[in-house]
Amino acid sequence: MADVFPYLSVSILFPIAAALFIPFVPDPGDGSQVRWYSLGIALADFLVTVAAYVNGYDPSQAGLQLVERVSWLPQLGLGWSVGVDGLSMPLVLLTSFITSLAILAAWPVSFKPKLFHFLMLAMCGGQIAVFAVQDMLLFFLAWELELIPVYLLLAIWGGKKRQYAATKFILYTAGSSLFILIAALAMAFQGSGPPSFEFSTMASKDLGVGLQMLCYSGLLIAFGVKLPMVPLHTWLPDAHGEATAPVHMLLAGILLKMGGYALLRFNGQLLPDAHARFAPLLVVFGVVNIIYAALTSFAQRNLKRKIAYSSISHMGFVLIGVASFSPLATSGAMLQMISHGLIGASLFFLVGATYDRTHTLMLDEMGGVGQGMRKMFAMWTTCSLASLALPGMSGFVAELMVFVGFATSDAYSLSFRIVIVCLAAIGVILTPIYLLSMLREIFFGRENRELASHTNLVDAEPREIYIISSLLVPVIAIGLYPRLTTESYRASIESLVERDSNALQAAARDKSPSIPLTLIPATLQKAPAMG
């Protein structure tokens, strides 16, 4: 079907090309016209990605689909190569969906509206490209280019410390991205024959364990910053603390998922021998993410920073799932990315809506507004329950899959699995405590009369209800029937885990002097060769 219509190329290039026409859109200067243009382009792009899934994507196939290739400079292995599989197709849909809602959330933006919507549309194409390109050099370019709109959106429309937050964001993310370029060049020019940056070619190369370990280390830093992984996370609370609601939605809903996707695509799929040695370290980092970020979120008095640390905590489950060598837990990690994309976007949108009414982010200055904003309270409560993994919501299914999958994985000793599961459970216990206490401080308790007298505490308007409803419908649908989502990537996940498991058994037989291998049970270290 990709030969009939280039769905992926259109979904990447269409919003970027449409953004170039924004300066010519008639607008009085307050954004009342350009916002309709931007929303129309985003919705059209979303329909293109839906058409790609419906008409050209087969969930039962593990390999690449909707492949489009155009050779640019074959002597250097450069070309336009896009395609999707189960690791990328759900995230392409998530990107176009969240972007459409983020543009609708940007309805009140009246300062430099044309530039704002230009950056939003340009970022949409760049983010889809990160998930769809199948060439590592193209991936690096898309990874870098989508940083520019985020930087400008933070630096121009952010809060009082926006310059600091934007600078810290670009230093962390752009600086760590150099490791992607170095790893790409090392893998592309390795071996005989012409160089190639295509994922499929790199995956078929015999890179050697030493080179894989070096590339894996660099990529782990690059992707760990974006995930984010403690201790590479400090840019995120500052960025979220200064961003506007639409930018919040893109940061939490899409940008963090790039790190998780890249770990699966590169560290897990292209570097399986190194992944077999580094995986226990990822599990430890995942537990640190869960506990440290949950405890830090519990102590935060700033509403944005509280939700930001909550996002970091939830990404810890992705790290554990990626390193589990279990189809169930790895599927749970994928589902956690999709689930948190929806839930995180909804929570940060509500943070922005609450700030518009109260003009404060400090929980100490809130309280007693539940009676005046009942619809807002209902939406806050539902989204918070989804975030704390209430049964019937997508977060519960994702975290349960990670827990059960890791606990039953044969890749680690029983004692190690018990310790990790018990420690991760601490984060699960802390999450409802800090989220429910947050609701209490915002909506209950003694009313802040000074706040009520100086602000307009109007309840949720139809646009806000629509945005939250659009995000909650798939959260509840996935929670009640997870196969709606898991079937779209099951074949790709199983293929990935099988490849990594074979590499794990080869590493155990090799008995290389790697510290993480001491965590592998003796029965697996003596495993016979795979036939």
Side-chain angles (χ1 to χ4, degrees), residues 24-212:
F24 306 103
V25 176
D27 191 89
D30 59 356
S32 58
Q33 298 300 320
V34 70
R35 64 191 184 188
W36 284 106
Y37 173 83
S38 181
L39 180 61
I41 297 299
L43 289 174
D45 201 50
F46 173 59
L47 292 177
V48 170
T49 59
V50 171
Y53 182 83
V54 173
N55 296 328
Y57 180 71
D58 182 2
S60 64
Q61 300 298 318
L64 279 181
Q65 303 175 56
L66 298 169
V67 178
E68 305 162 27
R69 289 189 176 94
V70 177
S71 179
W72 283 347
L73 191 58
Q75 292 84 352
L76 293 178
L78 302 181
W80 175 263
S81 178
V82 294
V84 290
D85 58 5
L87 302 181
S88 51
M89 187 72 241
L91 297 175
V92 168
L93 288 170
L94 179 71
T95 299
S96 58
F97 179 63
I98 296 293
T99 301
S100 301
L101 294 177
I103 290 177
L104 185 58
W107 222 243
V109 173
S110 58
F111 178 70
K112 298 183 181 296
K114 288 190 175 182
L115 178 59
F116 183 91
H117 287 283
F118 170 86
L119 295 173
M120 292 287 283
L121 290 179
M123 187 160 59
C124 177
Q127 289 172 330
I128 292 177
V130 168
F131 298 123
V133 296
Q134 298 298 318
D135 180 284
M136 199 164 181
L137 188 59
L138 278 180
F139 176 87
F140 170 74
L141 294 175
W143 187 276
E144 288 288 281
L145 290 176
E146 60 87 20
L147 300 180
I148 299 174
V150 180
Y151 171 79
L152 293 175
L153 288 168
L154 282 173
I156 299 175
W157 288 271
K160 294 180 180 180
K161 297 181 180 179
R162 57 184 179 273
Q163 296 295 338
Y164 170 79
T167 303
K168 192 172 184 179
F169 165 79
I170 203 69
L171 287 176
Y172 267 70
T173 53
S176 62
S177 298
L178 292 176
F179 291 105
I180 301 177
L181 179 60
I182 295 172
L185 293 173
M187 290 189 285
F189 288 89
Q190 179 69 14
S192 58
S196 175
F197 291 91
E198 282 209 28
F199 297 166
S200 57
T201 304
M202 288 183 172
S204 63
K205 287 185 176 182
D206 183 13
L207 298 176
V209 175
L211 179 60
Q212 285 197 32

Side-chain angles (χ1 to χ4, degrees), residues 23 48 80 99 132 148 172 174 185 190 224 269 295 301 303 312-313 363 367 383 404 406 509:
V48 170
W80 175 263
T99 301
I148 299 174
Y172 267 70
L185 293 173
Q190 179 69 14
Q269 190 175 65
L295 289 172
R301 307 308 299 161
L303 190 56
I312 297 173
S313 180
L363 290 171
C383 293
V404 175
F406 183 80
R509 292 193 302 272

Side-chain angles (χ1 to χ4, degrees), residues 355-440:
Y355 177 78
D356 290 340
R357 289 161 170 81
T358 62
H359 306 296
T360 182
L361 292 170
M362 304 308 295
L363 290 171
D364 297 331
E365 299 173 1
M366 299 181 183
V369 300
Q371 289 296 325
M373 298 192 298
R374 298 186 179 186
K375 295 177 184 177
M376 188 69 70
F377 168 66
M379 293 191 298
W380 260 110
T381 302
T382 307
C383 293
S384 297
L385 292 176
S387 183
L388 61 82
L390 182 76
M393 304 283 197
S394 58
F396 171 78
V397 180
E399 293 182 11
L400 182 64
M401 291 173 68
V402 172
F403 268 112
V404 175
F406 183 80
T408 57
S409 174
D410 293 331
Y412 302 97
S413 63
L414 178 61
S415 58
F416 182 68
R417 283 179 279 159
I418 292 175
V419 170
I420 293 299
V421 169
C422 292
L423 290 175
I426 296 176
V428 176
I429 295 171
L430 290 174
T431 303
I433 296 176
Y434 66 72
L435 286 177
L436 295 179
S437 63
M438 175 192 71
L439 288 179
R440 175 182 55 80

Side-chain angles (χ1 to χ4, degrees), residues 309-323:
Y309 276 105
S310 175
S311 296
I312 297 173
S313 180
H314 283 91
M315 288 298 99
F317 289 98
V318 175
L319 286 171
I320 294 176
V322 168

